[in-house]
Amino acid sequence: MFVDFHDQPPPPRWEPKPPPRRLTPRQRKTMEVVVGVNIVLLLIAPLGGATILQAIGALLR
């Protein structure tokens, strides 16, 4: 099947993206705290979830 794309405008000119910004020391510390809390919750939350499910199961007996 033939599709005529001659009525389409050309794509915009490619320009490189600017380099990413660096984090300030305060932003870096905040990011480290957030990642640390998430890692701790990654390990603890499944245990807490299992305990809550066992408690609900015990209540329904």
Side-chain angles (χ1 to χ4, degrees), residues 7-28:
D7 61 340
Q8 299 290 325
R13 182 181 163 114
W14 181 83
E15 294 185 15
K17 293 182 180 178
R21 294 186 313 134
R22 293 276 186 182
L23 294 177
T24 64
R26 182 175 180 189
Q27 290 173 328
R28 183 182 171 120

Side-chain angles (χ1 to χ4, degrees), residues 16-44:
K17 293 182 180 178
R21 294 186 313 134
R22 293 276 186 182
L23 294 177
T24 64
R26 182 175 180 189
Q27 290 173 328
R28 183 182 171 120
K29 181 68 175 166
T30 303
M31 182 70 71
E32 290 170 354
V33 168
V34 168
V35 169
V37 168
N38 280 317
I39 289 173
V40 169
L41 289 176
L42 181 68
L43 299 172
I44 294 176

